[in-house]
Amino acid sequence: MKYAYHTWEMYCHRHDLGLILFDEDLISPDHPKYKNPFWQKLLIPRVLNESNLSVSDVCHLDTDILINPYAPNIFDGHDSRKVGLISQMKR
């Protein structure tokens, strides 16, 4: 949060994007379907679906990602009917 949040905030403001932060487990460790935090990202669609938020597209970022505020909008050219990904490896 100390280093990355500010870059996310500037990027989202520049592109008129919302920003949602999850800073607690999405399911309690006492819940029978509890998953460790690495796997909890798979629960984000359900949590957003159950919320009162109007969300059409989602970009999941780990907390160690810094965003250049002047980078292009990640959703430009994205087909909302498909899942997209960006890899650090070519091909």
Side-chain angles (χ1 to χ4, degrees):
M1 287 296 294
K2 182 178 179 181
Y3 300 107
Y5 177 77
H6 188 62
T7 66
W8 301 347
E9 187 179 41
M10 290 187 301
Y11 178 85
C12 289
H13 180 72
R14 181 170 180 262
H15 294 292
D16 195 28
L17 299 172
L19 179 62
I20 300 171
L21 301 175
F22 296 103
D23 60 355
E24 295 180 8
D25 288 333
L26 299 179
I27 290 183
S28 166
D30 299 330
H31 192 281
K33 293 186 177 181
Y34 174 78
K35 302 285 187 209
N36 72 37
F38 177 80
W39 292 105
Q40 287 200 21
K41 62 187 162 200
L42 300 175
L43 302 173
I44 292 172
R46 189 197 70 183
V47 171
L48 293 177
N49 190 44
E50 292 173 354
S51 74
N52 292 327
L53 300 172
S54 175
V55 178
S56 58
D57 292 307
V58 174
C59 173
H60 168 266
L61 296 175
D62 287 329
T63 56
D64 60 348
I65 302 295
L66 298 175
I67 301 174
N68 180 337
Y70 299 103
N73 187 329
I74 195 160
F75 296 112
D76 286 351
H78 169 68
D79 185 344
S80 294
R81 299 168 297 170
K82 297 181 180 180
V83 173
L85 67 95
I86 297 174
S87 174
Q88 295 178 0
M89 303 169 74
K90 292 183 179 183
R91 299 187 216 325

